[in-house]
């Protein structure tokens, strides 16, 4: 199947700093990518839909100015957590669909564990 | 919007026995229902999916059934093995509409006892 890669796999940052997480589709082009957040022992909650060449679509309750999404190319979307606070500590996961393979199955990255201290 | 409910939240079975996880959905327009397995510290991996034009799908020890009228679908794992221990998520989405967002169930922590 298609491969989606996230980087870094884990990061620790100080409160008040910003952190950038990258999501790449390695063997296909994705006009749309999805960003999820998962707290311990909870389900995946969609944060935003990243659209190549246009603005991201944020889910209700997600602060767009805090979670900056950039989808500058067909294989890369980035999520920047700005002015991070301990409550932003979570597991962030991206996904994408391969339009060349039917576009239905969602492929997930390995996730990024963010710890804000 | 779509709401997906998943039960049970935890499930413990003896190795070799079968495990069943159930989900219900609210949006009758949903027509794609995948199941994911998530191991600790990793992203979800698709294990099986079903589309609304099919009532059942099987892949070796894993099967999924769908009842569109009742709006529920189930995951069946037979001859369970210790490596089946993980958290399983069901999800639902519409096909052919914009970004086709996936809505996830709450997850089931499956433990296979040797």
């Amino acid at each position: 199947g298609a491969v989606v890669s996230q980087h870094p796999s884990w990061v620790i940052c100080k409160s008040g700093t910003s952190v950038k997480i990258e999501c790449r589709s390695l063997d296909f082009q994705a006009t749309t990518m999805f960003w999820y957040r998962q707290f311990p022992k909870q389900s995946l909650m969609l944060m935003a839909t990243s659209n190549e060449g246009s603005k991201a679509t944020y889910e209700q309750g997600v602060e767009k100015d805090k979670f900056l999404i950039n989808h500058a190319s067909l294989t890369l979307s980035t999520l920047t957590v700005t002015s991070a606070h301990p409550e932003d500590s979570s597991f962030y996961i991206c996904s994408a669909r391969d339009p060349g393979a039917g576009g239905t199955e969602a492929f997930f990255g390995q996730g990024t564990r963010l710890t804000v201290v | 919007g779509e709401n997906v409910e998943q039960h049970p939240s935890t499930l413990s079975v003896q190795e070799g026995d079968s495990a069943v996880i159930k989900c219900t959905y609210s949006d009758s327009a949903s027509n794609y229902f995948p199941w994911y397995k998530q191991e600790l510290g990793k992203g979800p991996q698709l294990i099986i999916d079903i589309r609304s034009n099919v009532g059942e799908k099987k892949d070796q020890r894993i099967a999924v059934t769908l009842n569109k009228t009742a709006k529920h679908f189930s995951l069946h794992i037979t001859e369970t093995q210790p490596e089946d221990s993980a958290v399983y998520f069901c999800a639902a989405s519409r096909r052919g509409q914009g970004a086709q967002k996936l809505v996830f169930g709450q997850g089931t922590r499956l433990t296979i006892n040797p």
Side-chain angles (χ1 to χ4, degrees), chain B:
Chain B
E2 175 66 277
N3 182 52
V4 178
E5 297 287 333
Q6 183 173 346
H7 299 280
S9 57
T10 60
L11 180 60
S12 183
V13 301
Q14 286 298 119
E15 183 178 355
D17 288 350
S18 296
V20 180
I21 303 171
K22 299 182 178 181
C23 288
T24 61
Y25 61 98
S26 61
D27 187 352
S28 57
S30 289
N31 51 15
Y32 175 65
F33 307 94
W35 284 90
Y36 292 90
K37 176 182 181 182
Q38 187 179 30
E39 297 179 335
L40 189 63
K42 297 183 179 180
Q45 281 197 307
L46 180 73
I47 55 171
I48 196 167
D49 57 12
I50 192 168
R51 291 165 174 74
S52 58
N53 59 346
V54 176
E56 183 175 357
K57 183 177 178 181
K58 189 173 182 180
D59 182 4
Q60 299 183 7
R61 298 187 296 110
I62 296 173
V64 56
T65 59
L66 171 66
N67 183 325
K68 283 193 301 181
T69 303
K71 289 191 281 191
H72 66 69
F73 55 113
S74 300
L75 176 71
H76 305 253
I77 306 174
T78 59
E79 301 172 24
T80 54
Q81 301 168 3
E83 51 266 36
D84 294 330
S85 295
V87 179
Y88 291 80
F89 291 96
C90 62
S93 77
R94 299 184 183 185
R95 290 182 64 199
Q97 282 200 8
Q100 304 166 20
K101 294 187 290 187
L102 278 172
V103 178
F104 284 85
Q106 296 86 344
T108 297
R109 182 171 300 276
L110 176 63
T111 303
I112 307 302
N113 302 308

Side-chain angles (χ1 to χ4, degrees), chain A:
Chain A
V3 178
V4 174
S5 178
Q6 268 182 257
H7 179 80
S9 56
W10 61 270
V11 57
I12 301 173
C13 72
K14 290 185 177 180
S15 188
T17 62
S18 296
V19 174
K20 180 184 285 187
I21 302 169
E22 294 185 347
C23 179
R24 294 180 185 273
S25 54
L26 296 187
D27 49 2
F28 66 99
Q29 294 183 330
T31 56
T32 303
M33 292 185 176
F34 302 89
W35 286 96
Y36 295 84
R37 181 167 51 182
Q38 186 179 32
F39 291 109
K41 297 188 179 181
Q42 293 189 22
S43 187
L44 286 78
M45 298 302 296
L46 181 65
M47 298 174 65
T49 302
S50 173
N51 305 299
E52 188 270 334
S54 65
K55 292 182 179 180
T57 305
Y58 290 82
E59 295 299 301
Q60 193 171 8
V62 178
E63 300 173 60
K64 62 178 69 174
D65 294 331
K66 179 169 184 62
F67 299 99
L68 301 179
I69 291 173
N70 184 284
H71 195 150
S73 78
L74 287 170
T75 59
L76 174 64
S77 174
T78 61
L79 168 68
T80 301
V81 182
T82 64
S83 187
H85 289 99
E87 55 265 32
D88 298 323
S89 298
S90 187
F91 195 51
Y92 292 86
I93 313 171
C94 68
S95 79
R97 289 186 166 94
D98 180 0
T104 301
E105 180 179 348
F107 298 95
F108 285 82
Q110 64 269 50
T112 297
R113 170 80 53 198
L114 170 63
T115 303
V116 185
V117 297

